[in-house]
Amino acid sequence: MSTTTTAPLADLAQRVLRSRTMAALTQPHGVDRYLELVNPMWAAHEVRARIVDVHREVDVPGHPPVATLTLEPTSTWRGHRAGQHVQLGVEVDGARRTTRVFTVSSPDSRPGDRFTVTMRANPDGVVSRYLAGRAAIGTTVHLSQAQGEFVLPDRVPEHVVMISGGSGITPVMSMLRSLQRRTHRGRVTFIHYAQSPEHQIFASELADVAASGNGIDLHLLHPELGDPALSPAWLERLVPGYRDVPTWACGPAPLIEAVHGAYGDSAALHVEYFKPPRTGGGEVGGEVTFARSGRTAPNTGESLLAQAEALGLRPESGCRMGICFSCVSRKEEGTVRDVVSGAESSLPDEEIRVCVSAPVGDCTVDL
Amino acid sequence: MTNPQPTAEEAAGTARLTAEQLERFGEEMDAIRQRILADLGEEDAAYIRKVVKAQRGFEIAGRALFYLPPAWPLAVASLSISKILDNMEIGHNVMHGQYDWMGDPGLNSRMYEWDNVCPSDQWKNSHNFIHHTYTNIVGKDRDIGYGVLRMDEDQPWHPYYLGNPVYALLLMVFFEWGVALHDLEVENIVAGRRSLGDNKPLYPGLLRKMRRQAVKDYLLFPALTGPLFPLTFAGNAVANLVRNVWAFNIIFCGHFPAGVATFSVEECEDETRGHWYYRQLLGSANITGGKVFHLLTGNLSHQIEHHLFPDLPARRYPQIAEEVREICERYDLDYNAGPLGKQLFSVARKICRMALPDRKKADDPRDEVVEPVQVVTEPTVAA
């Protein structure tokens, strides 16, 4: 492999690029702001990646497509553990960069390794729709390092249960693939709920897994076709004493509720939530939540700054008319209307000027 | 010159527009703003990235050319252009939030740090908030004279101001340091309106930024050129000086030529949106020139458009200017624009004039102070 011969040189280059002297020479912009101009795949601190493959997983007419992207990261990628996610930012049409969280679907990766993310093109999702539908091979994306505690322990238990629904299959699929690569000798009970067989992601790979046995007990369920829904009784029949079997569950809110109901406060259960899709508001009512200070109040329709101050908060602010950018804060969820332009925006984790943004319906701001 | 010369009182008050007219004027300005906001996209992103690329290129070329002693003037020129682009078209505009919509951390107002001894967060407070909110309100906008100069007849004269031209010259030479110390409000400490303790939170950031800038330009890069240390040191100093002189002059031409109006705190109480636009318009002045000139000023040659729309990408200002001028004509409002030479002369004259006590107190003294050459006729603007 060519990477092994160039590794010492690359290591030295990285050490030089990350040195304090280089930081002092390239301040205030930093070394990455120079490297990226030469080659977007060069970085000393940031993580970027090039899309090297786009693969359609399922394409049911009338339903959003699901795609797997293979990413070639910069050497700054520190690798990931199966089950983790990554923040991925892409400049849609070369202008606005939007960042979303996607789960890594490939098995554990080491520094600099290629990995894949799998996503369903959410009809309202700017990023997933672009990536699954339009992104060209060679497009550069911006990444965080892998994050998240939804991972298998270093010593994998003898028997594990994985429960997923819809596109919640990606983290557990990553785990399953890792276990297969590690030639895990124990038993895996893999339960997945999909809308219909046509909607099944990774169908052929799962069929191979089922055929090969290898201690993997696979259950692909389609309740709409009469398959049993998740219940304590059904689980007990499938895995006697399941409450004490280490379990990893990921999927939409109703499934996770059912899982919680079945496991109670069992310490064996590990859960990853998927944020439920937002329903479009349009009304002034609802509640405003200031996440950092933990305050919630009915939405009065006034600017977020005014509402925060009415609750006794003192967020940083300046001109109070939207020109000085002193009050920019992160809106975590909800819709806001720019009181000057009237434009509404519902992007999660968006930076807004709270002095000229009024919430429409429920809204959460990091203040 | 078809427009009658307004007196300072007329220009500074709302006498020329009724409340109704002001409201309609504000609506027209808002309409421009919204149209541009809705149109932002790929071209704006590509433009600022191109400017960044050019700035980095000039910087690297400048630093590299110091290794070739005969190319010293070229190295200085290249580094000067880099610093000017970094401070004006990139730094100033990015820190106004003009490119925040791109979602690029490298071009985000909260994260951008410029190649200047003034820390960005302190500059954003004194500039984006204080100066842009209270533009030309005497007693509130500390950019009127920067706490050092007398730039308006409403600032009471004092013998200290006899040194006005000298202070201006010093401020020009050490402009980045002046800007950095601006937030400390030394004049208010001298006058007893601010205590030394109020500045305590500012010192760590200020000293850190000053140290980093100084280490880079006056130690590390000169040291890297070995025996050429003194030449590189001098070259970096000259590049900083060139940027200082350029920035000072562009900014002074945007705010202090003859005919620019100032406002009192009272007349801006309960200000409407229309009046805010009106004050921004009358409180600024443009410099006419070509494309490269506009780029090197960070489009602050379109100071009027910048003050009306501080958070719109500056590359849009030339396009907006046509419309703003047309609106000004309809409302019979002055649109103060002139070539660099003329605006510079006018500023220099004001600096000298303000050094002396006001003459002729008996008549309206303002008639005396306002310069006669102010209204720009169509052909001049078109040129």
Side-chain angles (χ1 to χ4, degrees):
Chain A
M1 283 213 270
S2 63
T3 48
T4 44
T5 51
T6 58
L9 208 73
D11 273 359
L12 179 69
Q14 281 291 335
R15 270 221 303 283
V16 170
L17 290 174
R18 286 179 197 160
S19 66
R20 283 186 60 187
T21 314
M22 198 54 90
L25 289 170
T26 55
Q27 82 88 25
H29 306 309
V31 65
D32 281 344
R33 295 273 86 82
Y34 293 85
L35 293 175
E36 70 183 356
L37 297 175
V38 187
N39 182 339
M41 292 303 284
W42 289 358
H45 304 282
E46 289 176 9
V47 193
R48 290 187 282 272
R50 200 162 36 204
I51 300 175
V52 291
D53 185 49
V54 181
H55 171 72
R56 279 285 168 88
E57 295 288 348
V58 282
D59 215 345
V60 184
H63 286 272
V66 176
T68 292
L69 308 186
T70 306
L71 301 175
E72 164 100 49
T74 48
S75 59
T76 42
W77 172 252
R78 291 202 287 261
H80 87 285
R81 297 179 65 179
Q84 287 192 305
H85 53 257
V86 62
Q87 290 179 40
L88 190 156
V90 64
E91 271 129 26
V92 177
D93 295 329
R96 288 175 174 82
R97 183 185 310 176
T98 319
T99 301
R100 289 290 175 276
V101 171
F102 296 106
T103 314
V104 182
S105 49
S106 51
D108 298 320
S109 66
R110 288 161 309 163
D113 275 357
R114 283 184 179 191
F115 61 94
T116 64
V117 290
T118 302
M119 69 202 52
R120 183 187 302 279
N122 175 352
D124 308 317
V126 184
V127 178
S128 59
R129 223 176 30 174
Y130 178 79
L131 289 175
R134 293 201 283 138
I137 302 225
T139 302
T140 303
V141 298
H142 303 264
L143 297 173
S144 68
Q145 295 290 357
Q147 301 162 334
E149 303 300 315
F150 187 70
V151 292
L152 293 171
D154 289 332
R155 281 192 56 130
V156 182
E158 178 56 30
H159 182 193
V160 294
V161 174
M162 294 176 182
I163 304 172
S164 61
S167 45
I169 193 172
T170 45
V172 287
M173 194 65 193
S174 174
M175 290 179 185
L176 188 70
R177 286 166 167 168
S178 294
L179 290 178
Q180 289 204 296
R181 201 167 64 178
R182 284 195 231 163
T183 57
H184 173 68
R185 304 250 168 253
R187 193 174 148 209
V188 179
T189 305
F190 194 98
I191 302 162
H192 178 71
Y193 286 92
Q195 213 175 322
S196 77
E198 293 81 54
H199 285 86
Q200 181 60 53
I201 310 175
F202 311 126
S204 63
E205 189 180 345
L206 288 170
D208 290 348
V209 166
S212 65
N214 288 340
I216 295 161
D217 187 16
L218 192 70
H219 302 271
L220 301 179
L221 301 152
H222 311 288
E224 281 181 8
L225 304 181
D227 288 337
L230 189 93
S231 69
W234 181 76
L235 268 175
E236 186 62 41
R237 229 176 303 136
L238 198 67
V239 184
Y242 69 91
R243 276 192 190 84
D244 299 320
V245 182
T247 299
W248 280 262
C250 179
L255 177 73
I256 296 302
E257 272 166 38
V259 169
H260 271 303
Y263 280 78
D265 54 1
S266 165
L269 178 66
H270 308 266
V271 163
E272 182 94 314
Y273 286 95
F274 266 26
K275 272 184 190 168
R278 279 201 46 76
T279 45
E283 80 281 24
V284 165
E287 285 195 328
V288 178
T289 305
F290 297 100
R292 215 184 313 155
S293 46
R295 304 292 298 270
T296 297
N299 172 16
T300 63
E302 278 182 287
S303 77
L304 281 162
L305 179 60
Q307 296 199 44
E309 288 176 340
L311 286 174
L313 307 181
R314 289 283 166 267
E316 202 176 309
S317 71
C319 65
R320 309 184 76 92
M321 56 187 297
I323 61 160
C324 81
F325 286 70
S326 306
C327 66
V328 172
S329 304
R330 203 176 77 248
K331 178 201 72 186
E332 295 174 351
E333 277 174 57
T335 303
V336 290
R337 184 173 43 83
D338 184 320
V339 298
V340 182
S341 70
E344 285 192 5
S345 165
S346 307
L347 291 178
D349 290 328
E350 180 184 27
E351 304 221 311
I352 55 164
R353 288 168 270 186
V354 292
C355 72
V356 288
S357 297
V360 181
D362 287 341
C363 189
T364 304
V365 187
D366 181 35
L367 276 177
Chain B
M1 303 230 174
T2 46
N3 288 358
Q5 172 66 45
T7 67
E9 229 156 15
E10 277 174 324
T14 53
R16 298 181 67 183
L17 292 188
T18 64
E20 239 171 77
Q21 284 175 314
L22 267 181
E23 189 170 332
R24 268 191 291 123
F25 172 72
E27 281 165 8
E28 295 202 41
M29 291 296 155
D30 274 339
I32 296 179
R33 186 187 151 75
Q34 290 192 37
R35 211 189 53 237
I36 301 289
L37 274 179
D39 190 46
L40 294 182
E42 199 171 353
E43 270 180 42
D44 304 272
Y47 169 82
I48 192 66
R49 291 202 172 113
K50 202 169 115 189
V51 177
V52 168
K53 202 161 187 171
Q55 181 269 318
R56 307 285 200 257
F58 276 114
E59 182 178 4
I60 291 164
R63 304 282 185 200
L65 284 168
F66 279 121
Y67 288 90
L68 289 171
W72 191 86
L74 209 59
V76 172
S78 190
L79 193 55
S80 302
I81 290 173
S82 153
K83 281 177 179 280
I84 284 168
L85 287 176
D86 181 283
N87 280 203
M88 312 285 279
E89 184 70 330
I90 306 168
H92 171 268
N93 293 334
V94 166
M95 287 194 283
H96 262 292
Q98 292 180 2
Y99 298 95
D100 276 17
W101 56 272
M102 284 172 62
D104 181 343
L107 295 168
N108 182 285
S109 63
R110 287 211 289 175
M111 292 174 234
Y112 198 84
E113 188 56 77
W114 57 350
D115 185 25
N116 186 300
V117 293
C118 181
S120 62
D121 58 332
Q122 297 184 19
W123 181 82
K124 279 182 282 186
N125 180 60
S126 61
H127 182 84
N128 287 11
F129 170 37
I130 308 279
H131 170 57
H132 273 273
T133 309
Y134 306 116
T135 310
N136 283 27
I137 301 179
V138 179
K140 278 192 144 179
D141 180 4
R142 296 188 57 255
D143 280 25
I144 305 178
Y146 290 84
V148 184
L149 304 169
R150 182 171 183 251
M151 294 306 297
D152 192 89
E153 52 269 36
D154 288 342
Q155 294 171 281
W157 185 81
H158 182 273
Y160 159 85
Y161 289 120
L162 286 170
N164 228 27
V166 181
Y167 312 146
L169 201 69
L170 287 171
L171 183 59
M172 176 170 80
V173 170
F174 299 103
F175 192 54
E176 64 169 331
W177 298 89
V179 170
L181 300 175
H182 189 47
D183 245 15
L184 300 180
E185 305 191 23
V186 176
E187 82 281 8
N188 285 333
I189 291 172
V190 172
R193 287 186 293 262
R194 187 180 170 89
S195 81
L196 271 175
D198 292 340
N199 284 341
K200 258 200 176 151
L202 300 176
Y203 295 139
L206 194 54
L207 291 174
R208 189 169 54 235
K209 189 73 202 289
M210 287 176 168
R211 192 186 62 232
R212 285 184 180 169
Q213 287 293 117
V215 163
K216 179 176 82 157
D217 277 346
Y218 301 124
L219 193 68
L220 279 179
F221 274 111
L224 278 178
T225 54
L228 299 171
F229 188 104
L231 272 181
T232 312
F233 180 96
N236 290 353
V238 174
N240 279 323
L241 173 71
V242 169
R243 183 267 322 275
N244 283 354
V245 171
W246 178 255
F248 171 93
N249 282 298
I250 295 306
I251 289 158
F252 270 59
C253 284
H255 287 296
F256 305 116
V260 169
T262 55
F263 300 79
S264 68
V265 174
E266 294 75 39
E267 67 190 299
C268 299
E269 271 169 15
D270 303 315
E271 188 176 56
T272 61
R273 194 163 173 81
H275 187 267
W276 184 84
Y277 276 124
Y278 173 88
R279 174 160 60 81
Q280 302 301 330
L281 168 75
L282 297 185
S284 316
N286 281 5
I287 316 167
T288 53
K291 261 191 157 167
V292 176
F293 172 74
H294 291 317
L295 168 67
L296 290 176
T297 66
N299 274 299
L300 291 182
S301 47
H302 291 95
Q303 190 72 244
I304 293 175
E305 286 72 28
H306 174 57
H307 261 273
L308 292 170
F309 312 108
D311 58 342
L312 294 186
R315 68 177 284 268
R316 299 291 192 141
Y317 294 157
Q319 164 194 350
I320 295 170
E322 308 274 316
E323 242 175 299
V324 172
R325 255 203 358 243
E326 184 269 324
I327 293 170
C328 287
E329 246 165 60
R330 268 195 281 118
Y331 287 84
D332 198 21
L333 293 169
D334 290 327
Y335 186 91
N336 192 336
L340 183 64
K342 180 185 155 238
Q343 302 291 55
L344 274 178
F345 178 74
S346 173
V347 169
R349 204 172 137 140
K350 188 184 262 183
I351 289 171
C352 295
R353 179 83 58 104
M354 290 295 128
L356 302 170
D358 302 334
R359 288 170 292 174
K360 242 179 90 182
K361 293 257 175 200
D363 296 333
D364 186 357
R366 290 167 175 199
D367 276 338
E368 272 302 301
V369 183
V370 169
E371 314 291 333
V373 274
Q374 181 228 134
V375 177
V376 176
T377 53
E378 276 314 297
T380 324
V381 176

